[in-house]
Amino acid sequence: SSERRVKGAQDVLVSSTREDHSVVEGSEVVVEEISATDPSSLSHYEDNLREAGALPKLTSLLSAHRMALRVGQSITYPAVINGVISCINNMAMNQHNQKHLKDCIPALIDFASTDKTDESVQLASLQALTNLSVNSEYHTPYTKLVQQLFEYLDHGGHSVKLQALKVLANLSTNEQMVPHLLAAKAPACLLSLLSPDTETDLLIRWTTILANVIQTVKDRGLTATSLPHEYKAPSPETTYTALYGHVTLQKLKSKVFVLCRHGNTDIRHQASRIHRCLT
């Protein structure tokens, strides 16, 4: 039953006081128990899991796998690490759990960014990072991830691209993160994504991100000199230049003007926000 699964997972997590390499060996048990639990049933037991100290143990499991990755080992059993990340993702849906899981963020960023994991691990990591980026209080570590998120827009499959956009959408609501978005190397698809033919789920999020960023630039009077130096691309390649360069700015205005008549209400709204800020 779901109750037995969660209780078993709780017992394994809470009683585990061994060294990290032993924790990894036992991770399959936790993964099987919590991942096999229906999310609606799991939510009923989340308070018990949290109060019993299970969430730091999930962080320890993830950190152990991360350590193996950082010393040059490839992920031998992606299903195991996917399960650990899935557990974290499920628990992170509850905002009360997020402060106990924030220490997972650097490890999740590593898994989302490295080429030593397959796409399933990257996608699972991005899903967890999406839930943990709802609260702007935890955004600071994400500055390291911004460039990779933009690269996923150019090279990721649809699912990875969509999840990257969801993370970027959360980050774009934070005025403190906008300069970091502007400092990153612009995705090559920055303008092409603004086509009326782009899949609706992608286009809604991309127009929302750009509307948030451009609104913040206007409200705060940001310029090229406002961009942080950490993780900054060469000036001609930054997202700021891609948005506000003389040639690209005119193309951007034309693109969003067309989208102001899009059939989707949300896309029309976000395109109109962009157009108003640029004119």
mmCIF file of all heavy atoms in Angstrom, residues 208-254:
data_model
loop_
_atom_site.group_PDB
_atom_site.id
_atom_site.type_symbol
_atom_site.label_atom_id
_atom_site.label_comp_id
_atom_site.label_asym_id
_atom_site.label_seq_id
_atom_site.Cartn_x
_atom_site.Cartn_y
_atom_site.Cartn_z
ATOM 1 N N THR A 208 6.474 35.500 -22.409
ATOM 2 C CA THR A 208 6.376 35.906 -21.000
ATOM 3 C C THR A 208 7.746 36.282 -20.451
ATOM 4 O O THR A 208 7.900 37.303 -19.760
ATOM 5 C CB THR A 208 5.773 34.770 -20.153
ATOM 6 O OG1 THR A 208 4.455 34.474 -20.625
ATOM 7 C CG2 THR A 208 5.708 35.161 -18.682
ATOM 8 N N ILE A 209 8.743 35.467 -20.753
ATOM 9 C CA ILE A 209 10.108 35.741 -20.292
ATOM 10 C C ILE A 209 10.593 37.079 -20.842
ATOM 11 O O ILE A 209 11.094 37.934 -20.095
ATOM 12 C CB ILE A 209 11.059 34.607 -20.727
ATOM 13 C CG1 ILE A 209 10.720 33.320 -19.976
ATOM 14 C CG2 ILE A 209 12.523 34.992 -20.492
ATOM 15 C CD1 ILE A 209 11.276 32.068 -20.629
ATOM 16 N N LEU A 210 10.449 37.269 -22.147
ATOM 17 C CA LEU A 210 10.923 38.513 -22.759
ATOM 18 C C LEU A 210 10.149 39.719 -22.228
ATOM 19 O O LEU A 210 10.735 40.783 -21.994
ATOM 20 C CB LEU A 210 10.801 38.428 -24.280
ATOM 21 C CG LEU A 210 11.726 37.427 -24.973
ATOM 22 C CD1 LEU A 210 11.536 37.487 -26.490
ATOM 23 C CD2 LEU A 210 13.193 37.680 -24.621
ATOM 24 N N ALA A 211 8.849 39.552 -22.017
ATOM 25 C CA ALA A 211 8.056 40.662 -21.478
ATOM 26 C C ALA A 211 8.534 41.039 -20.075
ATOM 27 O O ALA A 211 8.678 42.226 -19.753
ATOM 28 C CB ALA A 211 6.576 40.286 -21.458
ATOM 29 N N ASN A 212 8.797 40.040 -19.243
ATOM 30 C CA ASN A 212 9.286 40.318 -17.887
ATOM 31 C C ASN A 212 10.647 41.002 -17.918
ATOM 32 O O ASN A 212 10.899 41.962 -17.176
ATOM 33 C CB ASN A 212 9.389 39.016 -17.089
ATOM 34 C CG ASN A 212 8.040 38.430 -16.739
ATOM 35 O OD1 ASN A 212 7.019 39.111 -16.780
ATOM 36 N ND2 ASN A 212 8.025 37.152 -16.393
ATOM 37 N N VAL A 213 11.532 40.494 -18.772
ATOM 38 C CA VAL A 213 12.887 41.053 -18.863
ATOM 39 C C VAL A 213 12.844 42.488 -19.380
ATOM 40 O O VAL A 213 13.460 43.399 -18.801
ATOM 41 C CB VAL A 213 13.767 40.170 -19.775
ATOM 42 C CG1 VAL A 213 15.070 40.884 -20.133
ATOM 43 C CG2 VAL A 213 14.060 38.830 -19.098
ATOM 44 N N ILE A 214 12.130 42.701 -20.459
ATOM 45 C CA ILE A 214 12.093 44.030 -21.081
ATOM 46 C C ILE A 214 11.379 45.037 -20.186
ATOM 47 O O ILE A 214 11.765 46.211 -20.119
ATOM 48 C CB ILE A 214 11.444 43.922 -22.480
ATOM 49 C CG1 ILE A 214 12.391 43.155 -23.416
ATOM 50 C CG2 ILE A 214 11.124 45.294 -23.059
ATOM 51 C CD1 ILE A 214 11.780 42.761 -24.747
ATOM 52 N N GLN A 215 10.360 44.581 -19.465
ATOM 53 C CA GLN A 215 9.680 45.463 -18.511
ATOM 54 C C GLN A 215 10.633 45.888 -17.395
ATOM 55 O O GLN A 215 10.659 47.054 -16.985
ATOM 56 C CB GLN A 215 8.473 44.744 -17.906
ATOM 57 C CG GLN A 215 7.641 45.613 -16.966
ATOM 58 C CD GLN A 215 6.846 46.667 -17.707
ATOM 59 O OE1 GLN A 215 6.040 46.330 -18.566
ATOM 60 N NE2 GLN A 215 7.074 47.934 -17.388
ATOM 61 N N THR A 216 11.445 44.946 -16.916
ATOM 62 C CA THR A 216 12.403 45.260 -15.851
ATOM 63 C C THR A 216 13.480 46.219 -16.350
ATOM 64 O O THR A 216 13.885 47.144 -15.633
ATOM 65 C CB THR A 216 13.051 43.973 -15.315
ATOM 66 O OG1 THR A 216 12.032 43.135 -14.757
ATOM 67 C CG2 THR A 216 14.084 44.274 -14.240
ATOM 68 N N VAL A 217 13.942 46.015 -17.578
ATOM 69 C CA VAL A 217 14.928 46.932 -18.163
ATOM 70 C C VAL A 217 14.369 48.350 -18.185
ATOM 71 O O VAL A 217 15.052 49.317 -17.808
ATOM 72 C CB VAL A 217 15.313 46.484 -19.590
ATOM 73 C CG1 VAL A 217 16.134 47.569 -20.291
ATOM 74 C CG2 VAL A 217 16.100 45.182 -19.537
ATOM 75 N N LYS A 218 13.127 48.470 -18.591
ATOM 76 C CA LYS A 218 12.497 49.797 -18.661
ATOM 77 C C LYS A 218 12.302 50.395 -17.275
ATOM 78 O O LYS A 218 12.639 51.562 -17.032
ATOM 79 C CB LYS A 218 11.153 49.686 -19.380
ATOM 80 C CG LYS A 218 10.417 51.014 -19.500
ATOM 81 C CD LYS A 218 9.090 50.842 -20.231
ATOM 82 C CE LYS A 218 8.363 52.181 -20.331
ATOM 83 N NZ LYS A 218 7.048 52.041 -21.026
ATOM 84 N N ASP A 219 11.772 49.592 -16.355
ATOM 85 C CA ASP A 219 11.453 50.104 -15.017
ATOM 86 C C ASP A 219 12.699 50.486 -14.231
ATOM 87 O O ASP A 219 12.694 51.468 -13.480
ATOM 88 C CB ASP A 219 10.662 49.054 -14.228
ATOM 89 C CG ASP A 219 9.268 48.822 -14.789
ATOM 90 O OD1 ASP A 219 8.816 49.642 -15.612
ATOM 91 O OD2 ASP A 219 8.641 47.807 -14.408
ATOM 92 N N ARG A 220 13.766 49.719 -14.399
ATOM 93 C CA ARG A 220 14.984 49.959 -13.619
ATOM 94 C C ARG A 220 16.035 50.754 -14.383
ATOM 95 O O ARG A 220 17.088 51.078 -13.836
ATOM 96 C CB ARG A 220 15.586 48.626 -13.167
ATOM 97 C CG ARG A 220 14.711 47.861 -12.181
ATOM 98 C CD ARG A 220 15.404 46.607 -11.692
ATOM 99 N NE ARG A 220 16.699 46.901 -11.095
ATOM 100 C CZ ARG A 220 17.599 45.978 -10.743
ATOM 101 N NH1 ARG A 220 17.326 44.699 -10.938
ATOM 102 N NH2 ARG A 220 18.749 46.313 -10.211
ATOM 103 N N GLY A 221 15.754 51.057 -15.637
ATOM 104 C CA GLY A 221 16.710 51.820 -16.432
ATOM 105 C C GLY A 221 18.015 51.075 -16.657
ATOM 106 O O GLY A 221 19.097 51.673 -16.651
ATOM 107 N N LEU A 222 17.934 49.776 -16.878
ATOM 108 C CA LEU A 222 19.140 48.968 -17.066
ATOM 109 C C LEU A 222 19.785 49.274 -18.416
ATOM 110 O O LEU A 222 19.099 49.516 -19.410
ATOM 111 C CB LEU A 222 18.800 47.481 -16.985
ATOM 112 C CG LEU A 222 18.195 46.978 -15.670
ATOM 113 C CD1 LEU A 222 17.902 45.485 -15.763
ATOM 114 C CD2 LEU A 222 19.125 47.264 -14.495
ATOM 115 N N THR A 223 21.111 49.242 -18.432
ATOM 116 C CA THR A 223 21.875 49.426 -19.665
ATOM 117 C C THR A 223 22.929 48.328 -19.748
ATOM 118 O O THR A 223 23.021 47.469 -18.865
ATOM 119 C CB THR A 223 22.579 50.798 -19.687
ATOM 120 O OG1 THR A 223 23.587 50.812 -18.656
ATOM 121 C CG2 THR A 223 21.585 51.933 -19.442
ATOM 122 N N ALA A 224 23.740 48.382 -20.787
ATOM 123 C CA ALA A 224 24.800 47.382 -20.943
ATOM 124 C C ALA A 224 25.774 47.414 -19.771
ATOM 125 O O ALA A 224 26.376 46.392 -19.418
ATOM 126 C CB ALA A 224 25.539 47.609 -22.257
ATOM 127 N N THR A 225 25.916 48.567 -19.141
ATOM 128 C CA THR A 225 26.842 48.677 -18.003
ATOM 129 C C THR A 225 26.251 48.089 -16.724
ATOM 130 O O THR A 225 26.956 47.967 -15.721
ATOM 131 C CB THR A 225 27.217 50.148 -17.752
ATOM 132 O OG1 THR A 225 26.029 50.897 -17.447
ATOM 133 C CG2 THR A 225 27.890 50.747 -18.982
ATOM 134 N N SER A 226 24.975 47.728 -16.761
ATOM 135 C CA SER A 226 24.322 47.153 -15.576
ATOM 136 C C SER A 226 24.551 45.655 -15.455
ATOM 137 O O SER A 226 24.181 45.052 -14.442
ATOM 138 C CB SER A 226 22.808 47.408 -15.631
ATOM 139 O OG SER A 226 22.505 48.767 -15.829
ATOM 140 N N LEU A 227 25.150 45.052 -16.476
ATOM 141 C CA LEU A 227 25.265 43.600 -16.499
ATOM 142 C C LEU A 227 26.372 43.119 -15.570
ATOM 143 O O LEU A 227 27.455 43.699 -15.530
ATOM 144 C CB LEU A 227 25.551 43.119 -17.927
ATOM 145 C CG LEU A 227 24.588 43.602 -19.018
ATOM 146 C CD1 LEU A 227 24.921 42.939 -20.344
ATOM 147 C CD2 LEU A 227 23.144 43.342 -18.628
ATOM 148 N N PRO A 228 26.131 42.055 -14.825
ATOM 149 C CA PRO A 228 27.163 41.508 -13.932
ATOM 150 C C PRO A 228 28.285 40.866 -14.744
ATOM 151 O O PRO A 228 28.074 40.397 -15.866
ATOM 152 C CB PRO A 228 26.398 40.460 -13.121
ATOM 153 C CG PRO A 228 25.278 40.043 -14.015
ATOM 154 C CD PRO A 228 24.882 41.268 -14.783
ATOM 155 N N HIS A 229 29.477 40.833 -14.178
ATOM 156 C CA HIS A 229 30.622 40.260 -14.889
ATOM 157 C C HIS A 229 30.662 38.739 -14.790
ATOM 158 O O HIS A 229 31.197 38.068 -15.679
ATOM 159 C CB HIS A 229 31.926 40.854 -14.345
ATOM 160 C CG HIS A 229 32.067 42.323 -14.623
ATOM 161 N ND1 HIS A 229 32.245 42.824 -15.894
ATOM 162 C CD2 HIS A 229 32.034 43.401 -13.793
ATOM 163 C CE1 HIS A 229 32.328 44.146 -15.844
ATOM 164 N NE2 HIS A 229 32.200 44.521 -14.585
ATOM 165 N N GLU A 230 30.096 38.195 -13.714
ATOM 166 C CA GLU A 230 30.129 36.748 -13.537
ATOM 167 C C GLU A 230 29.280 36.063 -14.600
ATOM 168 O O GLU A 230 28.111 36.400 -14.797
ATOM 169 C CB GLU A 230 29.610 36.373 -12.146
ATOM 170 C CG GLU A 230 29.784 34.899 -11.815
ATOM 171 C CD GLU A 230 29.307 34.569 -10.412
ATOM 172 O OE1 GLU A 230 28.404 35.268 -9.909
ATOM 173 O OE2 GLU A 230 29.838 33.616 -9.821
ATOM 174 N N TYR A 231 29.877 35.104 -15.295
ATOM 175 C CA TYR A 231 29.217 34.330 -16.353
ATOM 176 C C TYR A 231 28.762 35.204 -17.528
ATOM 177 O O TYR A 231 27.906 34.800 -18.310
ATOM 178 C CB TYR A 231 28.012 33.550 -15.808
ATOM 179 C CG TYR A 231 28.319 32.690 -14.610
ATOM 180 C CD1 TYR A 231 27.653 32.874 -13.403
ATOM 181 C CD2 TYR A 231 29.292 31.692 -14.676
ATOM 182 C CE1 TYR A 231 27.940 32.086 -12.292
ATOM 183 C CE2 TYR A 231 29.583 30.897 -13.572
ATOM 184 C CZ TYR A 231 28.907 31.104 -12.386
ATOM 185 O OH TYR A 231 29.191 30.324 -11.293
ATOM 186 N N LYS A 232 29.336 36.408 -17.670
ATOM 187 C CA LYS A 232 28.922 37.312 -18.746
ATOM 188 C C LYS A 232 29.568 36.898 -20.067
ATOM 189 O O LYS A 232 30.755 36.596 -20.134
ATOM 190 C CB LYS A 232 29.309 38.749 -18.411
ATOM 191 C CG LYS A 232 28.911 39.778 -19.469
ATOM 192 C CD LYS A 232 29.309 41.184 -19.038
ATOM 193 C CE LYS A 232 28.978 42.206 -20.102
ATOM 194 N NZ LYS A 232 29.804 42.009 -21.317
ATOM 195 N N ALA A 233 28.778 36.903 -21.117
ATOM 196 C CA ALA A 233 29.289 36.627 -22.456
ATOM 197 C C ALA A 233 29.989 37.873 -22.994
ATOM 198 O O ALA A 233 29.792 38.980 -22.478
ATOM 199 C CB ALA A 233 28.134 36.240 -23.375
ATOM 200 N N PRO A 234 30.829 37.736 -24.036
ATOM 201 C CA PRO A 234 31.392 38.929 -24.687
ATOM 202 C C PRO A 234 30.263 39.871 -25.106
ATOM 203 O O PRO A 234 29.196 39.426 -25.544
ATOM 204 C CB PRO A 234 32.123 38.347 -25.901
ATOM 205 C CG PRO A 234 32.465 36.942 -25.498
ATOM 206 C CD PRO A 234 31.321 36.483 -24.636
ATOM 207 N N SER A 235 30.489 41.160 -24.994
ATOM 208 C CA SER A 235 29.423 42.149 -25.181
ATOM 209 C C SER A 235 28.602 41.983 -26.461
ATOM 210 O O SER A 235 27.367 42.102 -26.427
ATOM 211 C CB SER A 235 30.011 43.561 -25.112
ATOM 212 O OG SER A 235 30.494 43.814 -23.806
ATOM 213 N N PRO A 236 29.228 41.710 -27.621
ATOM 214 C CA PRO A 236 28.402 41.573 -28.836
ATOM 215 C C PRO A 236 27.476 40.366 -28.812
ATOM 216 O O PRO A 236 26.555 40.283 -29.629
ATOM 217 C CB PRO A 236 29.454 41.425 -29.954
ATOM 218 C CG PRO A 236 30.726 41.939 -29.380
ATOM 219 C CD PRO A 236 30.659 41.606 -27.923
ATOM 220 N N GLU A 237 27.718 39.429 -27.885
ATOM 221 C CA GLU A 237 26.947 38.183 -27.874
ATOM 222 C C GLU A 237 25.898 38.128 -26.768
ATOM 223 O O GLU A 237 25.148 37.154 -26.682
ATOM 224 C CB GLU A 237 27.900 36.990 -27.718
ATOM 225 C CG GLU A 237 28.924 36.872 -28.832
ATOM 226 C CD GLU A 237 29.883 35.717 -28.614
ATOM 227 O OE1 GLU A 237 29.798 35.055 -27.548
ATOM 228 O OE2 GLU A 237 30.710 35.466 -29.504
ATOM 229 N N THR A 238 25.829 39.145 -25.924
ATOM 230 C CA THR A 238 24.910 39.083 -24.789
ATOM 231 C C THR A 238 23.452 39.155 -25.246
ATOM 232 O O THR A 238 23.134 39.641 -26.337
ATOM 233 C CB THR A 238 25.152 40.239 -23.803
ATOM 234 O OG1 THR A 238 24.873 41.478 -24.462
ATOM 235 C CG2 THR A 238 26.574 40.227 -23.270
ATOM 236 N N THR A 239 22.583 38.691 -24.378
ATOM 237 C CA THR A 239 21.149 38.801 -24.649
ATOM 238 C C THR A 239 20.728 40.265 -24.689
ATOM 239 O O THR A 239 19.833 40.639 -25.455
ATOM 240 C CB THR A 239 20.357 38.036 -23.572
ATOM 241 O OG1 THR A 239 20.738 36.654 -23.620
ATOM 242 C CG2 THR A 239 18.862 38.151 -23.793
ATOM 243 N N TYR A 240 21.398 41.095 -23.888
ATOM 244 C CA TYR A 240 21.085 42.530 -23.930
ATOM 245 C C TYR A 240 21.306 43.078 -25.338
ATOM 246 O O TYR A 240 20.445 43.784 -25.893
ATOM 247 C CB TYR A 240 21.954 43.297 -22.927
ATOM 248 C CG TYR A 240 21.631 44.776 -22.885
ATOM 249 C CD1 TYR A 240 20.674 45.264 -22.006
ATOM 250 C CD2 TYR A 240 22.267 45.681 -23.746
ATOM 251 C CE1 TYR A 240 20.353 46.619 -21.984
ATOM 252 C CE2 TYR A 240 21.951 47.024 -23.730
ATOM 253 C CZ TYR A 240 20.990 47.489 -22.845
ATOM 254 O OH TYR A 240 20.665 48.827 -22.834
ATOM 255 N N THR A 241 22.448 42.749 -25.936
ATOM 256 C CA THR A 241 22.743 43.224 -27.284
ATOM 257 C C THR A 241 21.769 42.636 -28.300
ATOM 258 O O THR A 241 21.329 43.322 -29.230
ATOM 259 C CB THR A 241 24.188 42.861 -27.677
ATOM 260 O OG1 THR A 241 25.089 43.475 -26.748
ATOM 261 C CG2 THR A 241 24.512 43.336 -29.085
ATOM 262 N N ALA A 242 21.410 41.372 -28.104
ATOM 263 C CA ALA A 242 20.480 40.721 -29.031
ATOM 264 C C ALA A 242 19.099 41.358 -28.985
ATOM 265 O O ALA A 242 18.369 41.345 -29.982
ATOM 266 C CB ALA A 242 20.380 39.236 -28.707
ATOM 267 N N LEU A 243 18.737 41.930 -27.841
ATOM 268 C CA LEU A 243 17.432 42.579 -27.717
ATOM 269 C C LEU A 243 17.470 44.042 -28.135
ATOM 270 O O LEU A 243 16.518 44.543 -28.752
ATOM 271 C CB LEU A 243 16.939 42.487 -26.268
ATOM 272 C CG LEU A 243 16.547 41.109 -25.746
ATOM 273 C CD1 LEU A 243 16.235 41.177 -24.253
ATOM 274 C CD2 LEU A 243 15.347 40.556 -26.509
ATOM 275 N N TYR A 244 18.561 44.721 -27.801
ATOM 276 C CA TYR A 244 18.588 46.172 -27.957
ATOM 277 C C TYR A 244 19.564 46.676 -29.013
ATOM 278 O O TYR A 244 19.696 47.893 -29.186
ATOM 279 C CB TYR A 244 18.896 46.834 -26.608
ATOM 280 C CG TYR A 244 17.783 46.631 -25.602
ATOM 281 C CD1 TYR A 244 17.866 45.628 -24.638
ATOM 282 C CD2 TYR A 244 16.637 47.412 -25.637
ATOM 283 C CE1 TYR A 244 16.836 45.423 -23.727
ATOM 284 C CE2 TYR A 244 15.602 47.218 -24.731
ATOM 285 C CZ TYR A 244 15.707 46.222 -23.779
ATOM 286 O OH TYR A 244 14.680 46.019 -22.882
ATOM 287 N N GLY A 245 20.244 45.763 -29.713
ATOM 288 C CA GLY A 245 21.063 46.198 -30.837
ATOM 289 C C GLY A 245 20.187 46.846 -31.898
ATOM 290 O O GLY A 245 19.012 46.492 -32.056
ATOM 291 N N HIS A 246 20.743 47.789 -32.648
ATOM 292 C CA HIS A 246 19.935 48.591 -33.578
ATOM 293 C C HIS A 246 19.173 47.717 -34.571
ATOM 294 O O HIS A 246 17.962 47.895 -34.779
ATOM 295 C CB HIS A 246 20.833 49.580 -34.333
ATOM 296 C CG HIS A 246 20.091 50.400 -35.346
ATOM 297 N ND1 HIS A 246 19.157 51.356 -34.993
ATOM 298 C CD2 HIS A 246 20.123 50.379 -36.713
ATOM 299 C CE1 HIS A 246 18.650 51.898 -36.090
ATOM 300 N NE2 HIS A 246 19.220 51.331 -37.149
ATOM 301 N N VAL A 247 19.857 46.763 -35.179
ATOM 302 C CA VAL A 247 19.217 45.928 -36.205
ATOM 303 C C VAL A 247 18.222 44.964 -35.577
ATOM 304 O O VAL A 247 17.075 44.836 -36.029
ATOM 305 C CB VAL A 247 20.278 45.151 -37.012
ATOM 306 C CG1 VAL A 247 19.608 44.198 -37.997
ATOM 307 C CG2 VAL A 247 21.195 46.123 -37.750
ATOM 308 N N THR A 248 18.645 44.289 -34.516
ATOM 309 C CA THR A 248 17.778 43.276 -33.912
ATOM 310 C C THR A 248 16.568 43.894 -33.223
ATOM 311 O O THR A 248 15.501 43.275 -33.174
ATOM 312 C CB THR A 248 18.564 42.417 -32.899
ATOM 313 O OG1 THR A 248 19.217 43.278 -31.956
ATOM 314 C CG2 THR A 248 19.593 41.563 -33.609
ATOM 315 N N LEU A 249 16.706 45.093 -32.708
ATOM 316 C CA LEU A 249 15.577 45.744 -32.045
ATOM 317 C C LEU A 249 14.423 45.950 -33.022
ATOM 318 O O LEU A 249 13.253 45.720 -32.681
ATOM 319 C CB LEU A 249 16.012 47.080 -31.443
ATOM 320 C CG LEU A 249 14.926 47.878 -30.717
ATOM 321 C CD1 LEU A 249 14.329 47.072 -29.566
ATOM 322 C CD2 LEU A 249 15.493 49.204 -30.203
ATOM 323 N N GLN A 250 14.740 46.360 -34.226
ATOM 324 C CA GLN A 250 13.689 46.557 -35.229
ATOM 325 C C GLN A 250 13.030 45.230 -35.600
ATOM 326 O O GLN A 250 11.805 45.151 -35.772
ATOM 327 C CB GLN A 250 14.279 47.228 -36.475
ATOM 328 C CG GLN A 250 14.844 48.618 -36.229
ATOM 329 C CD GLN A 250 13.840 49.538 -35.543
ATOM 330 O OE1 GLN A 250 12.672 49.621 -35.936
ATOM 331 N NE2 GLN A 250 14.284 50.236 -34.505
ATOM 332 N N LYS A 251 13.834 44.176 -35.700
ATOM 333 C CA LYS A 251 13.276 42.857 -36.005
ATOM 334 C C LYS A 251 12.386 42.374 -34.861
ATOM 335 O O LYS A 251 11.329 41.780 -35.089
ATOM 336 C CB LYS A 251 14.404 41.857 -36.252
ATOM 337 C CG LYS A 251 15.196 42.110 -37.525
ATOM 338 C CD LYS A 251 16.292 41.061 -37.694
ATOM 339 C CE LYS A 251 17.081 41.296 -38.977
ATOM 340 N NZ LYS A 251 18.171 40.296 -39.145
ATOM 341 N N LEU A 252 12.831 42.632 -33.640
ATOM 342 C CA LEU A 252 12.052 42.227 -32.472
ATOM 343 C C LEU A 252 10.702 42.937 -32.454
ATOM 344 O O LEU A 252 9.656 42.317 -32.221
ATOM 345 C CB LEU A 252 12.839 42.545 -31.196
ATOM 346 C CG LEU A 252 12.143 42.261 -29.862
ATOM 347 C CD1 LEU A 252 11.787 40.782 -29.728
ATOM 348 C CD2 LEU A 252 13.041 42.701 -28.696
ATOM 349 N N LYS A 253 10.709 44.223 -32.725
ATOM 350 C CA LYS A 253 9.450 44.973 -32.760
ATOM 351 C C LYS A 253 8.503 44.404 -33.808
ATOM 352 O O LYS A 253 7.292 44.266 -33.568
ATOM 353 C CB LYS A 253 9.730 46.447 -33.061
ATOM 354 C CG LYS A 253 10.374 47.218 -31.924
ATOM 355 C CD LYS A 253 10.609 48.664 -32.341
ATOM 356 C CE LYS A 253 11.260 49.471 -31.240
ATOM 357 N NZ LYS A 253 11.521 50.876 -31.671
ATOM 358 N N SER A 254 9.043 44.069 -34.960
ATOM 359 C CA SER A 254 8.208 43.520 -36.033
ATOM 360 C C SER A 254 7.621 42.173 -35.635
ATOM 361 O O SER A 254 6.444 41.885 -35.891
ATOM 362 C CB SER A 254 9.033 43.368 -37.317
ATOM 363 O OG SER A 254 9.495 44.621 -37.766
#
